[in-house]
Amino acid sequence: MPTVRLYDADQPLTLASGQQLELVDVAYTTHGTLNETGDNAVFICHALTGDAQVIGPRTDGRPGWWETMVGPGKPIDTDRYFVICPNLLGGCQGTTGPSCAREDGGEIWGLDFPLLQMADFVTVHRALAAHLGVRRLHAAVGGSLGGMQVLQWALDHPQDLRHAVIIAASSRLTAQNIAFSAVAREAILRDPGFASGRYGETGSVPSTGLSIARMMAHITYLSEEAMSEKFGRRFQSPGRTGGGFGIDFAVESYLAHQATSFLNRFDALSYLYLSRVMDYFDPFATEGVAARAAEVGTDFCVISFDSDWRFDTGHSLRIVDQLLDSGASVTFREIPSPWGHDSFLLDVDRYQDTVRAFLSHHGPEEDGGGV
Amino acid sequence: MPTVRLYDADQPLTLASGQQLELVDVAYTTHGTLNETGDNAVFICHALTGDAQVIGPRTDGRPGWWETMVGPGKPIDTDRYFVICPNLLGGCQGTTGPSCAREDGGEIWGLDFPLLQMADFVTVHRALAAHLGVRRLHAAVGGSLGGMQVLQWALDHPQDLRHAVIIAASSRLTAQNIAFSAVAREAILRDPGFASGRYGETGSVPSTGLSIARMMAHITYLSEEAMSEKFGRRFQSPGRTGGGFGIDFAVESYLAHQATSFLNRFDALSYLYLSRVMDYFDPFATEGVAARAAEVGTDFCVISFDSDWRFDTGHSLRIVDQLLDSGASVTFREIPSPWGHDSFLLDVDRYQDTVRAFLSHHGPEEDGGGV
């Protein structure tokens, strides 16, 4: 996977907090070809635990995380668009984050890594797009945390984007949303293996905390209906009648599996930093923040799923209302799907079609804007 | 608080699993006076983390857990009824449980304590009622796990009960219900302080696991609406703008407080044992299980709260359907309340009135049955 050093000591990254990062590497993938006018690029922002591998195969043969949406002939058509997907700032899949070294060969950041805001993701995304020669994006697209980044981008720099696609996202977490994240962080922070964030040096791993965080999150990613459909009260091993504290029910096996595979690919410090950005995200708290998007004419597409209880349709409708109140152009659709929040990653009737149609409304164009 | 030894080596408790317990002490409180015919008793079954102190004051001055429902002139009127409330088997508030000694002065049970079933709670409850001279209960009443005990009692021994009041309960947990409990148990079991259940000997405490379990549970006890109303996105200390990993939001402070106070009063092994009983509870899996209750004429009152998402109204309606299909007499009411599952502990319009009216339909009576 390509990695580019976008910021260094000569040209450090200034964060929204005013703090600076003197070394930022960004891992990314691209698919398709940038056209001569530099305006057929679609920028994909991944969710909390995603990565740059939007389509595969990965080095270990596994598929990418959004094969249903991206590829030749898919809604985000790599025969037509130049698709860019980086790992985000603060992540742990190739882009600089809290478990990276402060400088080449230096010590690991740990909890000394500066706190991030949604705008920081956008700053780095913009720099990557410019680095790749993009003049103006045809679209930025993202689900969940990815959708929140797209919203921030469109509000702060609408001239960069012709289309903004915001899927299963929120402009302001509820107390319950924050509570779930708070418990997850607490499980990580209190795991002795976390070692005050120095586990990269001690060789310990906060595997219990990260497992608990992931298992709990997975409950919120699936609708109750989908869990009942997939697992019900089925026993993992038929014939069980006892009731110990191990894995008796199929749903327990599912959670344990999700936890284990997560440990192999995700980092505890990134979990803390990225989830906290979501808690604080509240762009519409700034009066008139959507006015420029309306002026520039960025087209928004906001999509929710009817069984999503992590970010239910109310979250999307709030985004729609705020945008419409500012005079922006907004398409909204609630997609019927039984799979809950996870729906944004799945092959759901009408969902892919909605994205395809929205991106096709206007082809790559020639007027205005620039990254 | 009185404690009685209901089982000993001469007369051990035989559990539903066939295993025996040779020493069972039961802590309980009573309020009011048993009438001469021994049929004005109301038996209260507490929920997962409740205790025998249904009304206070406790030794430390705190009130009991159900002051809104029980007391002179309250719906469960101690001027009229003889109210009995024990701590349940497997608990940690005076009744024998997994953190108790196997025998007087002996070693602590830990994970060698036998696995329990809902019927075991009922066996011990019946023995206590008989010990106290009750001939037939005017009613058994319980919320959440307490309601599940009442249901089991009424199905297995309907002659014991004139009325059965089942509040915010379930006859069969969903995959999501089980999943939340599974993650809570995992947090406890994987806490190094748990020490394979021998923490009573080592002096360690699985405080992280128990805290995580409690915080997560509290999210499910409140409706999202109630959490938004109570906490919203308010900061705990006004003027904060940063975003660290400590307690920034009011909802985080609430969860931390709940966790801390829980550690002072609850036991990790009890959490494992009691929550697992709920996972396995499925009385209507036995064909015709409600037939005797219909025959004997036990009156059921099933109550749900419209904002309860831990055991939503669907759980109560399933109980109602199963009972009605067997010809039992059932009153059902869904109570409007914004507070979620916690509503069963609160002063909610119509709720207390519903219980009062149901218990008053027929006064303590003279015919049939016996504990």
Side-chain angles (χ1 to χ4, degrees), chain A residues 115 172-176 180 185-187 190 208 212 215-216 219 224 232-233 242-246 248 252 272 276 279-280, chain B residues 115 172-175 180 182 185-187 190 208 212 215-216 219 224 232-233 242-246 248 252 272 276 279-280:
Chain A
L115 294 166
R172 189 169 73 181
L173 266 54
T174 63
Q176 187 189 77
F180 275 118
R185 283 191 299 267
E186 197 70 6
R190 293 176 66 154
T208 293
I212 297 298
M215 286 190 274
M216 191 171 51
I219 300 176
E224 170 145 41
R233 296 176 52 83
F245 304 123
D248 290 355
E252 295 180 297
L272 299 183
R276 198 50 149 174
D279 290 354
Y280 272 88
Chain B
L115 295 167
R172 189 169 72 180
L173 267 54
T174 63
F180 275 118
R185 283 191 299 267
E186 196 70 6
R190 293 176 66 154
T208 294
I212 297 299
M215 287 191 274
M216 192 172 51
I219 301 176
E224 169 145 41
R233 296 176 53 82
F245 304 122
D248 290 355
E252 295 180 299
L272 300 183
R276 199 49 150 175
D279 291 354
Y280 272 89

Short mmCIF file of all heavy atoms in Angstrom, two decimals, chain A residues 115 172-176 180 185-187 190 208 212 215-216 219 224 232-233 242-246 248 252 272 276 279-280, chain B residues 115 172-175 180 182 185-187 190 208 212 215-216 219 224 232-233 242-246 248 252 272 276 279-280:
data_model
loop_
_atom_site.label_atom_id
_atom_site.label_comp_id
_atom_site.label_asym_id
_atom_site.label_seq_id
_atom_site.Cartn_x
_atom_site.Cartn_y
_atom_site.Cartn_z
N LEU A 115 -4.70 15.59 21.10
CA LEU A 115 -6.11 15.30 20.87
C LEU A 115 -6.53 15.82 19.50
O LEU A 115 -6.06 16.87 19.06
CB LEU A 115 -6.96 15.95 21.97
CG LEU A 115 -6.69 15.35 23.36
CD1 LEU A 115 -7.27 16.24 24.44
CD2 LEU A 115 -7.26 13.94 23.45
N ARG A 172 -24.22 15.02 15.80
CA ARG A 172 -24.17 15.30 17.24
C ARG A 172 -24.59 14.05 17.99
O ARG A 172 -25.77 13.69 17.97
CB ARG A 172 -25.12 16.45 17.56
CG ARG A 172 -25.01 16.98 18.96
CD ARG A 172 -25.77 18.28 19.14
NE ARG A 172 -27.21 18.04 19.16
CZ ARG A 172 -28.12 19.01 19.30
NH1 ARG A 172 -27.74 20.28 19.37
NH2 ARG A 172 -29.40 18.72 19.33
N LEU A 173 -23.65 13.44 18.67
CA LEU A 173 -23.96 12.21 19.39
C LEU A 173 -24.92 12.50 20.55
O LEU A 173 -24.86 13.56 21.17
CB LEU A 173 -22.68 11.56 19.93
CG LEU A 173 -22.05 10.50 19.02
CD1 LEU A 173 -21.79 11.03 17.64
CD2 LEU A 173 -20.79 9.92 19.63
N THR A 174 -25.76 11.52 20.85
CA THR A 174 -26.63 11.62 22.02
C THR A 174 -25.87 11.18 23.27
O THR A 174 -24.78 10.60 23.18
CB THR A 174 -27.85 10.70 21.87
OG1 THR A 174 -27.39 9.35 21.82
CG2 THR A 174 -28.65 11.01 20.62
N ALA A 175 -26.50 11.41 24.40
CA ALA A 175 -25.91 10.95 25.67
C ALA A 175 -25.69 9.44 25.63
O ALA A 175 -24.68 8.93 26.12
CB ALA A 175 -26.82 11.33 26.84
N GLN A 176 -26.64 8.70 25.04
CA GLN A 176 -26.47 7.25 24.97
C GLN A 176 -25.29 6.87 24.09
O GLN A 176 -24.51 5.97 24.41
CB GLN A 176 -27.76 6.58 24.46
CG GLN A 176 -27.69 5.07 24.53
CD GLN A 176 -28.86 4.41 23.82
OE1 GLN A 176 -28.93 4.31 22.60
NE2 GLN A 176 -29.82 3.95 24.60
N PHE A 180 -21.99 4.73 25.51
CA PHE A 180 -21.40 3.48 25.00
C PHE A 180 -19.90 3.66 24.74
O PHE A 180 -19.09 2.79 25.09
CB PHE A 180 -22.10 3.03 23.72
CG PHE A 180 -23.34 2.21 23.95
CD1 PHE A 180 -24.58 2.65 23.51
CD2 PHE A 180 -23.28 0.99 24.61
CE1 PHE A 180 -25.74 1.89 23.72
CE2 PHE A 180 -24.42 0.23 24.83
CZ PHE A 180 -25.65 0.67 24.38
N ARG A 185 -14.06 3.02 26.28
CA ARG A 185 -12.76 3.63 26.62
C ARG A 185 -12.33 3.25 28.04
O ARG A 185 -11.16 2.99 28.31
CB ARG A 185 -12.84 5.15 26.49
CG ARG A 185 -12.78 5.64 25.05
CD ARG A 185 -12.59 7.15 24.99
NE ARG A 185 -13.69 7.84 25.62
CZ ARG A 185 -14.77 8.29 24.96
NH1 ARG A 185 -14.88 8.11 23.66
NH2 ARG A 185 -15.73 8.91 25.61
N GLU A 186 -13.30 3.21 28.94
CA GLU A 186 -13.00 2.85 30.33
C GLU A 186 -12.43 1.42 30.39
O GLU A 186 -11.46 1.17 31.13
CB GLU A 186 -14.28 2.95 31.16
CG GLU A 186 -14.10 2.99 32.64
CD GLU A 186 -13.47 4.28 33.15
OE1 GLU A 186 -13.26 5.22 32.37
OE2 GLU A 186 -13.16 4.31 34.36
N ALA A 187 -13.00 0.52 29.62
CA ALA A 187 -12.51 -0.86 29.60
C ALA A 187 -11.06 -0.89 29.11
O ALA A 187 -10.24 -1.66 29.64
CB ALA A 187 -13.40 -1.72 28.70
N ARG A 190 -8.62 1.00 31.79
CA ARG A 190 -8.44 0.30 33.06
C ARG A 190 -7.82 -1.08 32.90
O ARG A 190 -7.57 -1.77 33.89
CB ARG A 190 -9.79 0.19 33.78
CG ARG A 190 -10.30 1.56 34.22
CD ARG A 190 -11.67 1.47 34.84
NE ARG A 190 -11.66 0.73 36.08
CZ ARG A 190 -12.54 0.90 37.06
NH1 ARG A 190 -13.50 1.78 36.94
NH2 ARG A 190 -12.47 0.18 38.15
N THR A 208 -7.99 -7.37 26.85
CA THR A 208 -9.31 -7.47 27.47
C THR A 208 -10.12 -6.21 27.20
O THR A 208 -11.27 -6.28 26.75
CB THR A 208 -9.18 -7.68 29.00
OG1 THR A 208 -8.59 -8.96 29.22
CG2 THR A 208 -10.53 -7.62 29.68
N ILE A 212 -13.58 -6.11 25.05
CA ILE A 212 -14.85 -5.67 25.64
C ILE A 212 -15.43 -4.53 24.81
O ILE A 212 -16.62 -4.49 24.48
CB ILE A 212 -14.64 -5.23 27.10
CG1 ILE A 212 -14.16 -6.40 27.97
CG2 ILE A 212 -15.92 -4.61 27.67
CD1 ILE A 212 -15.10 -7.56 28.06
N MET A 215 -16.82 -5.98 21.54
CA MET A 215 -18.03 -6.78 21.70
C MET A 215 -19.23 -5.87 21.93
O MET A 215 -20.29 -6.05 21.33
CB MET A 215 -17.86 -7.76 22.86
CG MET A 215 -16.95 -8.92 22.53
SD MET A 215 -16.95 -10.25 23.79
CE MET A 215 -15.72 -9.63 24.91
N MET A 216 -19.04 -4.91 22.82
CA MET A 216 -20.14 -3.98 23.12
C MET A 216 -20.53 -3.21 21.87
O MET A 216 -21.71 -3.04 21.57
CB MET A 216 -19.72 -3.05 24.23
CG MET A 216 -20.86 -2.25 24.79
SD MET A 216 -20.35 -1.36 26.27
CE MET A 216 -18.89 -0.56 25.65
N ILE A 219 -22.75 -5.11 19.50
CA ILE A 219 -24.17 -5.17 19.88
C ILE A 219 -24.90 -3.96 19.28
O ILE A 219 -26.03 -4.08 18.79
CB ILE A 219 -24.35 -5.20 21.41
CG1 ILE A 219 -23.65 -6.42 22.00
CG2 ILE A 219 -25.84 -5.21 21.78
CD1 ILE A 219 -23.69 -6.47 23.54
N GLU A 224 -31.60 -5.34 16.95
CA GLU A 224 -32.05 -6.47 17.77
C GLU A 224 -32.69 -7.54 16.89
O GLU A 224 -32.48 -8.74 17.08
CB GLU A 224 -33.06 -5.98 18.83
CG GLU A 224 -33.75 -7.13 19.54
CD GLU A 224 -34.05 -6.86 21.00
OE1 GLU A 224 -34.48 -5.73 21.31
OE2 GLU A 224 -33.87 -7.77 21.83
N GLY A 232 -30.73 -15.86 17.46
CA GLY A 232 -31.82 -16.27 18.35
C GLY A 232 -31.24 -16.74 19.68
O GLY A 232 -30.35 -16.11 20.23
N ARG A 233 -31.76 -17.86 20.15
CA ARG A 233 -31.26 -18.46 21.39
C ARG A 233 -30.54 -19.78 21.09
O ARG A 233 -30.42 -20.65 21.95
CB ARG A 233 -32.42 -18.69 22.35
CG ARG A 233 -33.10 -17.39 22.79
CD ARG A 233 -34.31 -17.65 23.66
NE ARG A 233 -34.02 -18.54 24.76
CZ ARG A 233 -33.48 -18.15 25.92
NH1 ARG A 233 -33.19 -16.90 26.12
NH2 ARG A 233 -33.24 -19.03 26.88
N GLY A 242 -26.51 -27.36 30.15
CA GLY A 242 -26.00 -26.74 31.37
C GLY A 242 -26.10 -25.24 31.30
O GLY A 242 -26.96 -24.70 30.66
N GLY A 243 -25.25 -24.57 32.00
CA GLY A 243 -25.29 -23.11 31.97
C GLY A 243 -24.04 -22.57 32.63
O GLY A 243 -24.12 -21.94 33.66
N GLY A 244 -22.91 -22.82 32.04
CA GLY A 244 -21.66 -22.31 32.61
C GLY A 244 -21.44 -20.88 32.18
O GLY A 244 -22.34 -20.20 31.71
N PHE A 245 -20.22 -20.41 32.34
CA PHE A 245 -19.91 -19.03 32.01
C PHE A 245 -19.04 -18.94 30.76
O PHE A 245 -18.47 -17.90 30.47
CB PHE A 245 -19.25 -18.35 33.21
CG PHE A 245 -20.11 -18.44 34.44
CD1 PHE A 245 -19.64 -19.01 35.60
CD2 PHE A 245 -21.42 -17.96 34.40
CE1 PHE A 245 -20.46 -19.10 36.72
CE2 PHE A 245 -22.24 -18.05 35.52
CZ PHE A 245 -21.76 -18.63 36.68
N GLY A 246 -18.96 -20.03 30.02
CA GLY A 246 -18.22 -20.00 28.77
C GLY A 246 -19.13 -19.62 27.62
O GLY A 246 -20.13 -18.93 27.79
N ASP A 248 -21.84 -20.56 25.50
CA ASP A 248 -22.94 -21.50 25.35
C ASP A 248 -23.79 -21.14 24.13
O ASP A 248 -24.11 -21.99 23.31
CB ASP A 248 -23.85 -21.48 26.59
CG ASP A 248 -23.17 -22.10 27.81
OD1 ASP A 248 -22.06 -22.63 27.66
OD2 ASP A 248 -23.76 -22.04 28.91
N GLU A 252 -22.88 -15.57 21.73
CA GLU A 252 -21.65 -15.41 22.51
C GLU A 252 -20.43 -15.78 21.67
O GLU A 252 -19.37 -15.15 21.75
CB GLU A 252 -21.71 -16.26 23.78
CG GLU A 252 -22.80 -15.81 24.74
CD GLU A 252 -22.87 -16.65 26.01
OE1 GLU A 252 -23.15 -17.87 25.91
OE2 GLU A 252 -22.66 -16.11 27.10
N LEU A 272 -9.28 5.01 21.45
CA LEU A 272 -9.55 6.13 22.36
C LEU A 272 -9.63 7.45 21.59
O LEU A 272 -10.59 8.22 21.73
CB LEU A 272 -8.43 6.25 23.40
CG LEU A 272 -8.19 5.08 24.35
CD1 LEU A 272 -7.08 5.45 25.34
CD2 LEU A 272 -9.46 4.71 25.09
N ARG A 276 -13.23 9.53 20.69
CA ARG A 276 -13.45 10.80 21.39
C ARG A 276 -13.75 11.93 20.41
O ARG A 276 -14.51 12.86 20.75
CB ARG A 276 -12.21 11.13 22.23
CG ARG A 276 -12.46 12.16 23.31
CD ARG A 276 -13.67 11.86 24.18
NE ARG A 276 -13.56 12.34 25.56
CZ ARG A 276 -14.55 12.27 26.43
NH1 ARG A 276 -15.72 11.74 26.09
NH2 ARG A 276 -14.40 12.70 27.65
N ASP A 279 -17.43 11.95 19.93
CA ASP A 279 -18.19 12.51 21.06
C ASP A 279 -18.29 14.03 20.96
O ASP A 279 -19.33 14.62 21.29
CB ASP A 279 -17.49 12.19 22.40
CG ASP A 279 -17.55 10.72 22.76
OD1 ASP A 279 -18.23 9.95 22.05
OD2 ASP A 279 -16.91 10.34 23.76
N TYR A 280 -17.19 14.66 20.56
CA TYR A 280 -17.13 16.13 20.57
C TYR A 280 -17.67 16.77 19.30
O TYR A 280 -17.88 17.98 19.27
CB TYR A 280 -15.68 16.59 20.81
CG TYR A 280 -15.35 16.72 22.27
CD1 TYR A 280 -14.88 15.64 23.00
CD2 TYR A 280 -15.56 17.92 22.94
CE1 TYR A 280 -14.61 15.76 24.36
CE2 TYR A 280 -15.29 18.05 24.29
CZ TYR A 280 -14.82 16.97 24.99
OH TYR A 280 -14.56 17.10 26.33
N LEU B 115 -24.41 -24.23 39.55
CA LEU B 115 -25.19 -23.36 38.67
C LEU B 115 -26.65 -23.39 39.10
O LEU B 115 -27.16 -24.42 39.54
CB LEU B 115 -25.04 -23.83 37.23
CG LEU B 115 -23.61 -23.70 36.69
CD1 LEU B 115 -23.44 -24.47 35.39
CD2 LEU B 115 -23.25 -22.24 36.49
N ARG B 172 -38.24 -14.96 28.04
CA ARG B 172 -37.21 -15.53 27.14
C ARG B 172 -36.36 -14.39 26.63
O ARG B 172 -36.83 -13.58 25.82
CB ARG B 172 -37.91 -16.25 25.98
CG ARG B 172 -36.99 -17.05 25.13
CD ARG B 172 -37.76 -17.93 24.18
NE ARG B 172 -38.39 -17.18 23.11
CZ ARG B 172 -39.13 -17.71 22.14
NH1 ARG B 172 -39.37 -19.01 22.13
NH2 ARG B 172 -39.65 -16.97 21.20
N LEU B 173 -35.12 -14.33 27.04
CA LEU B 173 -34.25 -13.25 26.60
C LEU B 173 -33.96 -13.36 25.11
O LEU B 173 -33.88 -14.46 24.56
CB LEU B 173 -32.92 -13.28 27.39
CG LEU B 173 -32.88 -12.41 28.64
CD1 LEU B 173 -34.01 -12.70 29.58
CD2 LEU B 173 -31.54 -12.49 29.33
N THR B 174 -33.78 -12.21 24.49
CA THR B 174 -33.38 -12.19 23.08
C THR B 174 -31.86 -12.35 22.98
O THR B 174 -31.13 -12.24 23.97
CB THR B 174 -33.75 -10.86 22.42
OG1 THR B 174 -33.02 -9.82 23.08
CG2 THR B 174 -35.24 -10.59 22.52
N ALA B 175 -31.40 -12.53 21.74
CA ALA B 175 -29.96 -12.61 21.50
C ALA B 175 -29.28 -11.33 21.99
O ALA B 175 -28.18 -11.37 22.56
CB ALA B 175 -29.69 -12.83 20.02
N PHE B 180 -25.60 -8.53 25.84
CA PHE B 180 -25.20 -7.55 26.85
C PHE B 180 -24.69 -8.26 28.12
O PHE B 180 -23.67 -7.87 28.70
CB PHE B 180 -26.36 -6.61 27.20
CG PHE B 180 -26.50 -5.44 26.27
CD1 PHE B 180 -27.64 -5.26 25.51
CD2 PHE B 180 -25.48 -4.50 26.15
CE1 PHE B 180 -27.78 -4.17 24.64
CE2 PHE B 180 -25.60 -3.41 25.29
CZ PHE B 180 -26.74 -3.25 24.54
N ALA B 182 -23.49 -11.25 28.32
CA ALA B 182 -22.25 -11.98 28.01
C ALA B 182 -21.04 -11.05 28.08
O ALA B 182 -19.99 -11.42 28.60
CB ALA B 182 -22.36 -12.62 26.62
N ARG B 185 -20.27 -10.29 31.73
CA ARG B 185 -19.58 -11.41 32.38
C ARG B 185 -18.14 -11.52 31.92
O ARG B 185 -17.23 -11.80 32.70
CB ARG B 185 -20.33 -12.72 32.11
CG ARG B 185 -21.59 -12.90 32.95
CD ARG B 185 -22.14 -14.33 32.83
NE ARG B 185 -22.50 -14.65 31.47
CZ ARG B 185 -23.72 -14.48 30.96
NH1 ARG B 185 -24.69 -14.03 31.71
NH2 ARG B 185 -23.96 -14.80 29.70
N GLU B 186 -17.94 -11.30 30.63
CA GLU B 186 -16.58 -11.37 30.08
C GLU B 186 -15.68 -10.34 30.76
O GLU B 186 -14.52 -10.63 31.08
CB GLU B 186 -16.66 -11.12 28.57
CG GLU B 186 -15.44 -11.53 27.79
CD GLU B 186 -15.22 -13.03 27.69
OE1 GLU B 186 -16.10 -13.80 28.13
OE2 GLU B 186 -14.16 -13.42 27.19
N ALA B 187 -16.21 -9.14 30.98
CA ALA B 187 -15.43 -8.09 31.64
C ALA B 187 -15.03 -8.53 33.05
O ALA B 187 -13.92 -8.27 33.50
CB ALA B 187 -16.22 -6.78 31.69
N ARG B 190 -12.49 -11.72 32.89
CA ARG B 190 -11.15 -11.42 32.38
C ARG B 190 -10.41 -10.39 33.23
O ARG B 190 -9.25 -10.09 32.94
CB ARG B 190 -11.26 -10.94 30.93
CG ARG B 190 -11.72 -12.06 30.00
CD ARG B 190 -11.92 -11.57 28.59
NE ARG B 190 -10.67 -11.15 28.00
CZ ARG B 190 -10.42 -11.15 26.68
NH1 ARG B 190 -11.36 -11.56 25.84
NH2 ARG B 190 -9.26 -10.75 26.21
N THR B 208 -12.62 -3.49 38.07
CA THR B 208 -12.79 -3.00 36.69
C THR B 208 -13.91 -3.75 35.99
O THR B 208 -14.82 -3.15 35.40
CB THR B 208 -11.48 -3.17 35.90
OG1 THR B 208 -10.49 -2.30 36.47
CG2 THR B 208 -11.68 -2.82 34.43
N ILE B 212 -17.37 -2.05 34.66
CA ILE B 212 -17.75 -2.05 33.25
C ILE B 212 -19.13 -2.69 33.08
O ILE B 212 -20.01 -2.18 32.37
CB ILE B 212 -16.71 -2.84 32.41
CG1 ILE B 212 -15.33 -2.15 32.48
CG2 ILE B 212 -17.16 -3.01 30.97
CD1 ILE B 212 -15.27 -0.77 31.94
N MET B 215 -21.77 -0.18 34.35
CA MET B 215 -21.94 0.99 33.48
C MET B 215 -22.73 0.59 32.23
O MET B 215 -23.67 1.28 31.83
CB MET B 215 -20.58 1.56 33.08
CG MET B 215 -19.90 2.30 34.22
SD MET B 215 -18.44 3.24 33.69
CE MET B 215 -17.19 1.99 33.79
N MET B 216 -22.35 -0.53 31.65
CA MET B 216 -23.05 -0.98 30.45
C MET B 216 -24.51 -1.27 30.76
O MET B 216 -25.41 -0.89 30.00
CB MET B 216 -22.35 -2.21 29.90
CG MET B 216 -22.80 -2.58 28.51
SD MET B 216 -21.78 -3.88 27.82
CE MET B 216 -21.83 -5.06 29.14
N ILE B 219 -26.70 1.77 30.90
CA ILE B 219 -27.13 2.31 29.60
C ILE B 219 -28.42 1.64 29.17
O ILE B 219 -29.33 2.28 28.64
CB ILE B 219 -26.04 2.11 28.52
CG1 ILE B 219 -24.73 2.79 28.94
CG2 ILE B 219 -26.51 2.63 27.17
CD1 ILE B 219 -23.57 2.55 27.97
N GLU B 224 -33.11 5.97 25.78
CA GLU B 224 -32.26 6.99 25.15
C GLU B 224 -32.83 8.38 25.42
O GLU B 224 -32.09 9.34 25.70
CB GLU B 224 -32.16 6.73 23.64
CG GLU B 224 -31.52 7.89 22.89
CD GLU B 224 -30.66 7.48 21.71
OE1 GLU B 224 -31.07 6.57 20.98
OE2 GLU B 224 -29.58 8.07 21.54
N GLY B 232 -28.10 14.97 28.23
CA GLY B 232 -27.82 15.57 26.94
C GLY B 232 -26.33 15.52 26.64
O GLY B 232 -25.69 14.51 26.86
N ARG B 233 -25.80 16.64 26.18
CA ARG B 233 -24.36 16.73 25.91
C ARG B 233 -23.70 17.69 26.90
O ARG B 233 -22.64 18.25 26.62
CB ARG B 233 -24.14 17.20 24.46
CG ARG B 233 -24.65 16.22 23.42
CD ARG B 233 -24.51 16.77 22.02
NE ARG B 233 -23.16 17.21 21.74
CZ ARG B 233 -22.15 16.43 21.37
NH1 ARG B 233 -22.35 15.13 21.24
NH2 ARG B 233 -20.97 16.93 21.14
N GLY B 242 -11.72 21.13 25.88
CA GLY B 242 -10.76 20.13 25.40
C GLY B 242 -11.43 18.84 25.05
O GLY B 242 -12.58 18.83 24.65
N GLY B 243 -10.77 17.76 25.16
CA GLY B 243 -11.37 16.47 24.84
C GLY B 243 -10.46 15.36 25.29
O GLY B 243 -9.94 14.61 24.47
N GLY B 244 -10.22 15.25 26.57
CA GLY B 244 -9.35 14.19 27.07
C GLY B 244 -10.12 12.89 27.23
O GLY B 244 -11.22 12.74 26.70
N PHE B 245 -9.57 11.97 27.97
CA PHE B 245 -10.21 10.68 28.13
C PHE B 245 -10.76 10.50 29.53
O PHE B 245 -11.09 9.40 29.95
CB PHE B 245 -9.23 9.56 27.75
CG PHE B 245 -8.70 9.72 26.35
CD1 PHE B 245 -7.35 9.81 26.11
CD2 PHE B 245 -9.58 9.81 25.29
CE1 PHE B 245 -6.86 9.98 24.82
CE2 PHE B 245 -9.12 9.98 24.00
CZ PHE B 245 -7.75 10.08 23.76
N GLY B 246 -10.85 11.57 30.27
CA GLY B 246 -11.44 11.50 31.60
C GLY B 246 -12.93 11.75 31.53
O GLY B 246 -13.58 11.49 30.53
N ASP B 248 -15.55 14.09 30.98
CA ASP B 248 -15.86 15.40 30.42
C ASP B 248 -17.37 15.66 30.45
O ASP B 248 -17.83 16.71 30.87
CB ASP B 248 -15.38 15.50 28.97
CG ASP B 248 -13.86 15.53 28.87
OD1 ASP B 248 -13.19 15.59 29.92
OD2 ASP B 248 -13.35 15.50 27.74
N GLU B 252 -20.93 10.77 31.51
CA GLU B 252 -19.77 9.99 31.93
C GLU B 252 -19.64 10.01 33.45
O GLU B 252 -19.28 9.00 34.08
CB GLU B 252 -18.50 10.53 31.27
CG GLU B 252 -18.51 10.35 29.76
CD GLU B 252 -17.24 10.89 29.09
OE1 GLU B 252 -16.98 12.10 29.20
OE2 GLU B 252 -16.53 10.11 28.47
N LEU B 272 -22.29 -13.01 37.95
CA LEU B 272 -22.19 -14.09 36.97
C LEU B 272 -23.33 -15.08 37.11
O LEU B 272 -24.02 -15.41 36.14
CB LEU B 272 -20.87 -14.85 37.15
CG LEU B 272 -19.55 -14.08 37.00
CD1 LEU B 272 -18.38 -15.05 37.16
CD2 LEU B 272 -19.47 -13.40 35.65
N ARG B 276 -26.68 -15.35 34.52
CA ARG B 276 -26.76 -16.55 33.68
C ARG B 276 -28.11 -17.24 33.81
O ARG B 276 -28.61 -17.85 32.85
CB ARG B 276 -25.63 -17.50 34.04
CG ARG B 276 -25.32 -18.55 32.97
CD ARG B 276 -25.18 -17.97 31.58
NE ARG B 276 -24.26 -18.73 30.73
CZ ARG B 276 -24.06 -18.46 29.45
NH1 ARG B 276 -24.71 -17.46 28.87
NH2 ARG B 276 -23.21 -19.16 28.74
N ASP B 279 -30.38 -15.72 31.29
CA ASP B 279 -30.13 -16.15 29.91
C ASP B 279 -30.86 -17.45 29.58
O ASP B 279 -31.37 -17.63 28.48
CB ASP B 279 -28.63 -16.40 29.68
CG ASP B 279 -27.80 -15.14 29.71
OD1 ASP B 279 -28.39 -14.04 29.78
OD2 ASP B 279 -26.56 -15.26 29.66
N TYR B 280 -30.84 -18.36 30.56
CA TYR B 280 -31.38 -19.70 30.30
C TYR B 280 -32.89 -19.81 30.53
O TYR B 280 -33.50 -20.79 30.15
CB TYR B 280 -30.65 -20.73 31.17
CG TYR B 280 -29.42 -21.28 30.49
CD1 TYR B 280 -28.19 -20.65 30.63
CD2 TYR B 280 -29.50 -22.40 29.67
CE1 TYR B 280 -27.06 -21.13 30.00
CE2 TYR B 280 -28.39 -22.89 29.02
CZ TYR B 280 -27.17 -22.26 29.19
OH TYR B 280 -26.06 -22.74 28.55
#
